């Protein structure tokens, strides 16, 4: 991570400082993540955690509830969450397409965010909304253009199939 930061710092602009993120899920590694949290702060690296897995972030792109209807398994929590998330939307949740719902994603993830006494995201929480809020202004125009183009394409296909 430090090598990558050094490479990017060589082209950094003081007017628009870069932000660095380390995105992780918990799975079975909470102790290791917590143990390295202070080191991340020392090197100005923002730790983004999705508990127990990245699919929590994907889920909130389409859902306002906190995993309603999810049955806690006896084991393999991460696997069960992934299966639940992918079955929550017809055709599953595509990580390549959830960017189009980023505003709703931010709202839902923030609404459902909880942390424990140490500040670590609790089960079914993710702090990825913090990163998304920071990058949204930089991608907003291009994203809006892509959404508009997709909508026009959808209308064209719908009109053509009528």
């Amino acid at each position: 991570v430090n090598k990558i930061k050094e490479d990017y710092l060589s082209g950094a602009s003081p007017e628009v400082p870069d932000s660095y993120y380390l995105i992780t899920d918990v799975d079975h590694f909470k102790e290791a993540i917590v143990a390295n949290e202070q080191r991340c702060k020392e090197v100005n690296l923002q730790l983004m955690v999705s508990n127990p897995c990245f699919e929590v972030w994907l889920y909130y792109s389409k859902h306002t509830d906190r995993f309603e209807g999810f049955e806690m398994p006896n084991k393999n929590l991460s696997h069960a969450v992934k299966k639940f998330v992918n079955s929550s939307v017809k055709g599953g949740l595509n990580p390549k397409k959830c960017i189009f719902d980023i505003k709703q994603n931010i709202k839902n993830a923030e609404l459902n965010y909880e942390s424990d006494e140490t500040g670590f995201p609790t089960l079914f929480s993710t702090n990825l909304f913090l990163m998304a809020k920071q990058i949204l202004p930089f991608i907003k125009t291009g994203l809006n253009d892509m959404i508009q183009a997709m909508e026009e394409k959808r209308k064209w296909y719908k009109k053509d199939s009528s």
Side-chain angles (χ1 to χ4, degrees), residues 40-150:
C40 289
K41 289 176 184 174
E42 290 169 7
V43 296
N44 198 25
L45 188 66
Q46 297 178 59
L47 185 58
M48 301 287 109
V49 178
S50 203
N51 191 355
C53 53
F54 184 74
E55 282 75 8
V56 169
W57 171 250
L58 298 179
Y59 181 82
Y60 289 129
S61 70
K62 297 290 184 187
H63 299 277
T64 58
D65 64 88
R66 193 175 170 103
F67 282 72
E68 192 173 293
F70 178 75
E71 292 184 30
M72 285 295 265
N74 293 330
K75 57 182 180 173
N76 297 325
L77 175 62
S78 184
H79 177 73
V81 169
K82 290 173 186 182
K83 187 175 178 181
F84 178 79
V85 167
N86 282 319
S87 68
S88 71
V89 172
K90 185 179 179 183
L93 283 169
N94 184 340
K96 293 178 182 176
K97 292 184 179 178
C98 81
I99 188 70
F100 298 114
D101 299 312
I102 192 168
K103 292 175 190 171
Q104 191 65 42
N105 209 158
I106 291 168
K107 182 179 175 185
N108 293 342
E110 187 170 20
L111 174 73
N112 287 286
Y113 183 75
E114 291 180 357
S115 59
D116 64 18
E117 62 282 348
T118 67
F120 198 85
T122 60
L123 188 60
F124 307 128
S125 289
T126 176
N127 62 357
L128 279 165
F129 67 89
L130 297 170
M131 181 186 77
K133 280 180 163 182
Q134 277 195 302
I135 66 169
L136 187 56
F138 296 101
I139 65 169
K140 193 174 188 173
T141 301
L143 183 60
N144 287 340
D145 291 347
M146 290 171 65
I147 291 169
Q148 184 178 352
M150 281 178 35

Side-chain angles (χ1 to χ4, degrees), residues 2 5 7 10 14 44 105 112 132 144 147 151 155 159:
N2 286 330
K5 278 184 67 175
D7 291 346
S10 66
N44 198 25
N105 209 158
N112 287 286
N144 287 340
I147 291 169
E151 187 58 36
K155 285 179 185 176
K159 183 180 116 186

